[in-house]
Structures are given as structure tokens and as C-alpha cells.
Amino acid sequence: MKIIADLHTHTRYSHGKGTVLENVTVSLARGLEAVGITDHGPRSAPWVGASVGDLIQMRREVTDVDRRAMGIRVLAGAECNIISASGDLDVPSRVRNNLDIVLAGLHPGILPASGRDWLLLTGNNWVAKFSSNLQRKARLINTQAVVEAVWNNEIDVITHPGYHLDIDTVELARACAQRDTALEINARHDEMTAAFCRAAARQGVRFVINSDAHKPSDVGNLSRGIAVAMAAGLEPEQVLNSEQGGLFEWLAQKQLRRRAEKRGWADWSEQPPMDRETTSPERRSSERGQSQWTDWSSQGKIH
């Protein structure tokens, strides 16, 4: 399986070690056709996340590098944090609308949207180690947060599903398949296993294989992710950033949806540090399938 793009890399705009240009240089050396610069959102730990202003500057720098780079597409993106049980993201929608790719993940150690969300996301995961009942409760809340994020936002990729925080594989994959959101096979973390991929693939979801590089030398280092995909029996067509995955057509369609309500760049600097817009149940897509909430407590940990 040949991978043509690494869509998840970090730079000094968040807690990566290299620059945009350094990540692009390594990508070219490894024969990639595209690379995503996707730094962490502002509700990460202070030494980890990029501010809204940083994301604005990153967007401008990536545009400049992309114009000058020959033989590769450089994509401006962000790895948004899911910061509430209702799926809110920490990167304002007007910023997301001007990005080339939007990633989102549920991370430990973030600043949630409210005290209640801290109890639901951080507190419940911390106490989950003390009993199986608490583990099931945390798993349900974690899954709800990611599923709601998928339904309430135009997200391209859910990053490293299950990274330190237990989720329901089938429920997440079902939502992603219906919303045409990809699941990431992360070559840096080992939570995404072949068993996880097989369970998710049965729901019709598609995947991307990314490095999650935090230093330039790791950009395009995808061997572990490819091995997982192969062990799971995935076909190249199921992996969007494979040579047969139709990556650029998919990205173009996702951008059209995200930019449908674009308001422009002029007011970026005046946006609040997080997106507090919410989506009522009445506004959610009518295509949303019936949730299998009753299955959650009985499903084993797949990843």
C-alpha cells in the first residue's frame, strides 16, 4: 500500500520541534504529494496548543510555502480539541472554515469548556481506573463527546481514536461513516489496532494513515500505520491518503461543505479563544442514524 500524503504533522506553532518548511522538505524527500500542518488547538495545555493568532499566522505561512513548493501540496490545518461532552471544538468555526483540513481529537490534559465538562471528561476518566462501572461510564461519555463532535462540526479526520481515553469503536465508526469523516490510523500511538480497524471498517468508515510527527524527521514515517492497515485487511481504496484513495477529490468536497457559510478573514483576530457555538438537536442532520446507546455497556474494549 502506497501512502501519498501525511495529513497530521506538528510544528513550533504548537509543541512540534520544527518549522513548516522543514516538515515540507522532509515530505518532499520521502516522495509525498501532500503534507498537512495541523497544530494543536488553543485549549491544550499552555505549552502545547497554538493560539488563534498562531493559527492565523500559520495559515499565512503555509499559503506562502505552498506557492513556492514544487511537486507537493502544503495544507493548512489544525488538530482541534474536543472540549465538551456535547462535542464543542476549541478552534473557532470562522478559523476552521479557512483551513484546508480539520482534524479533531479527544485528548487528556486539555482545558474543557466548563467545570461540568471537566468533571465529565477529565474527572470521570481519572476515576475510571477504580471500578468497572466507572470505566463503563467514562467510556459512554467519551464516546458521546466524539460522536457529537462529528455530527455538530464539519470534521475531516478524528485523530488517534482511543488514545488514553476509552471509546466505543462501532458507535464512533458508524457516525463517521454517515458524516464522511475519516478515522486515523496513527503511526505514532499504538491504540489503533488491527482489531479496531476491522470493527470500524464493518461500519463503512474510511481511514487515513498519519505520522502525528512532532519533529521533522518523523514526517512521513508511516510504516507502523501501514502495517496495521495491512493486518486489518484494508484495501487501498479504504485508505483515503493511499494512491487509490481519492484524497484530493475528497478534500475538495469536504472544503466545499465547510466553507458554505464562510464569513471571511477580516474578523479572525476578534474571535474568542474558543468556539462557543452550539448546535441544537433540531439542527442536526436528518441523516443521523439511530444510536446504539444500549450496546455500549456490553461491548468490549476493541482497541
Side-chain angles (χ1 to χ4, degrees):
M1 184 182 297
K2 181 179 179 181
I3 302 299
I4 63 170
D6 187 352
L7 303 174
H8 183 181
T9 77
H10 297 278
T11 71
R12 293 174 188 166
Y13 280 109
S14 56
H15 69 155
K17 304 299 182 185
T19 65
V20 171
L21 187 57
E22 286 170 336
N23 282 15
V24 173
T25 300
V26 174
S27 300
L28 278 166
R30 292 191 166 158
L32 296 178
E33 297 178 23
V35 61
I37 307 300
T38 52
D39 281 297
H40 287 285
R43 303 289 285 201
S44 302
W47 58 90
V48 173
S51 68
V52 171
D54 290 333
L55 292 173
I56 296 170
Q57 180 58 38
M58 181 271 293
R59 163 79 268 186
R60 292 170 179 156
E61 181 177 352
V62 167
T63 298
D64 181 61
V65 172
D66 182 54
R67 286 171 178 163
R68 293 186 287 118
M70 300 296 292
I72 190 169
R73 284 185 60 181
V74 189
L75 307 172
E79 185 182 11
C80 310
N81 292 298
I82 299 169
I83 56 172
S84 77
S86 56
D88 294 311
L89 304 181
D90 67 341
V91 176
S93 59
R94 292 184 184 87
V95 177
R96 300 196 307 268
N97 291 345
N98 285 283
L99 296 175
D100 301 314
I101 186 167
V102 172
L103 281 54
L106 189 64
H107 295 84
I110 61 153
L111 181 61
S114 67
R116 177 178 180 274
D117 288 303
W118 186 93
L119 290 172
L120 288 171
L121 296 177
T122 304
N124 277 309
N125 280 293
W126 186 82
V127 300
K129 57 187 175 182
F130 295 113
S131 80
S132 58
N133 285 336
L134 292 172
Q135 289 173 5
R136 284 192 291 270
K137 180 181 178 181
R139 176 183 172 89
L140 187 149
I141 294 170
N142 295 341
T143 306
Q144 175 187 344
V146 184
V147 168
E148 291 298 315
V150 169
W151 279 106
N152 294 341
N153 306 279
E154 196 62 57
I155 296 170
D156 299 322
V157 179
I158 292 294
T159 58
H160 46 62
Y163 172 58
H164 291 320
L165 302 172
D166 193 16
I167 61 163
D168 184 292
T169 302
V170 173
E171 189 72 22
L172 173 59
R174 183 182 294 114
C176 287
Q178 293 183 46
R179 289 281 284 158
D180 198 20
T181 296
L183 288 181
E184 179 183 70
I185 302 174
N186 191 293
R188 185 167 181 256
H189 303 297
D190 59 6
E191 284 80 10
M192 191 66 142
T193 63
F196 185 110
C197 292
R198 284 192 291 268
R202 285 194 289 269
Q203 304 304 312
V205 74
R206 293 189 288 179
F207 301 86
V208 294
I209 300 173
N210 291 325
S211 70
D212 194 1
H214 284 64
K215 56 184 178 181
S217 60
D218 286 337
V219 175
N221 184 3
L222 304 167
S223 56
R224 184 194 172 277
I226 294 171
V228 169
M230 299 293 287
L234 297 184
E235 298 294 333
E237 292 79 9
Q238 293 174 276
V239 180
L240 285 157
N241 58 335
S242 78
E243 199 168 32
Q244 292 83 33
L247 173 66
F248 298 115
E249 295 83 356
W250 175 74
L251 281 174
Q253 289 298 316
K254 295 289 282 185
Q255 286 175 352
L256 284 174
R257 296 179 204 170
R258 187 163 49 249
R259 295 177 179 180
E261 296 181 356
K262 178 178 175 181
R263 298 183 184 178
W265 292 46
D267 50 357
W268 272 25
S269 61
E270 298 176 8
Q271 296 305 308
M274 58 174 284
D275 188 358
R276 297 186 182 274
E277 296 177 4
T278 59
T279 304
S280 67
E282 292 75 20
R283 290 181 58 194
R284 294 173 190 160
S285 171
S286 60
E287 298 177 357
R288 182 171 185 170
Q290 184 175 1
S291 174
Q292 301 292 323
W293 300 102
T294 55
D295 294 344
W296 286 13
S297 62
S298 61
Q299 290 183 22
K301 185 174 181 180
I302 294 173
H303 47 80

